[in-house]
Amino acid sequence: LQCIPFAAVTTCNVTIATDSVPADRRGEGFSYFTAAATFPMAIGPAIGLALYKVNWYWPFIVAGLVGLFCFVFSLLIEIPIYKPVFTGLSAKSIFKKELFFITLFGAISISVLPGLTSFLALYVKELSLNLDFTGVILFCYATCLFIVRVFGAKVINKANPKISGCVAILSLGVGVFTIGSRNDIIGIAI
């Protein structure tokens, strides 16, 4: 049931961000947008764990209050309104062939990182490290993402987005290969 509002919120957020950022600054705008989404990933697990240690239901209470705050705050945001063009519901209107390859490419390339981070605790345990180290790794990972997204913003606007994307995917591949080839703390750090 939680996937329904999460899917709606993330889709709406990306749509609003797309409509709000001028086309000539879209790379920069999305870099800041995704950097802002990275910040909670850095601090969220630590806050959730601290709340859980108080009592198991506190993370849910705080998350509910934050959700309520976000709802109230969202009412204050001015969003450009466009008259929607409804062409009916058909397979052709839902699935645009122009978007198929970029969507498939995005899904495959982005699926690597959540897969790695979901097995991070098991990897840390296999290396006989303290499981608390997992939080430190996630914090460092999110901090590095934040820095690269903020500083990479100007580069994406000045360079060809296709070239920037190819360099990023190549770097991701090299990084994932390096992690897999090193079975130690240096592999995690990379």
Side-chain angles (χ1 to χ4, degrees):
L1 211 56
Q2 183 61 27
C3 66
I4 295 170
F6 181 78
V9 166
T10 53
T11 302
C12 289
N13 284 348
V14 171
T15 303
I16 292 167
T18 303
D19 289 344
S20 301
V21 177
D24 62 331
R25 296 190 67 199
R26 195 141 297 149
E28 183 179 0
F30 273 97
S31 290
Y32 295 138
F33 178 76
T34 56
T38 303
F39 181 68
M41 188 174 84
I43 64 168
I47 292 172
L49 185 59
L51 291 170
Y52 178 80
K53 287 180 178 179
V54 173
N55 204 319
W56 69 268
Y57 56 83
W58 272 105
F60 300 102
I61 290 173
V62 171
L65 291 173
V66 168
L68 182 63
F69 170 78
C70 290
F71 169 73
V72 172
F73 185 73
S74 72
L75 297 174
L76 304 174
I77 298 173
E78 290 192 35
I79 302 167
I81 303 294
Y82 300 100
K83 186 175 180 181
V85 178
F86 184 71
T87 57
L89 288 177
S90 68
K92 189 174 184 178
S93 71
I94 294 173
F95 301 105
K96 300 287 185 187
K97 64 181 176 183
E98 301 87 12
L99 298 175
F100 176 76
F101 288 108
I102 189 66
T103 303
L104 180 65
F105 177 74
I108 291 169
S109 62
I110 292 173
S111 67
V112 170
L113 291 177
L116 286 176
T117 55
S118 64
F119 289 103
L120 185 60
L122 295 173
Y123 189 56
V124 166
K125 188 176 180 182
E126 183 177 311
L127 295 178
S128 301
L129 298 171
N130 187 337
L131 283 177
D132 291 338
F133 193 65
T134 306
V136 172
I137 294 168
L138 286 174
F139 179 78
C140 292
Y141 171 72
T143 302
C144 288
L145 274 178
F146 182 82
I147 292 167
V148 168
R149 284 177 173 163
V150 169
F151 289 110
K154 298 283 185 183
V155 173
I156 292 170
N157 272 349
K158 291 183 178 166
N160 180 333
K162 186 175 182 178
I163 293 171
S164 299
C166 289
V167 169
I169 294 300
L170 178 65
S171 301
L172 177 65
V174 169
V176 170
F177 177 78
T178 305
I179 291 169
S181 65
R182 301 270 328 205
N183 196 14
D184 57 10
I185 193 71
I186 294 171
I188 291 176
I190 291 173

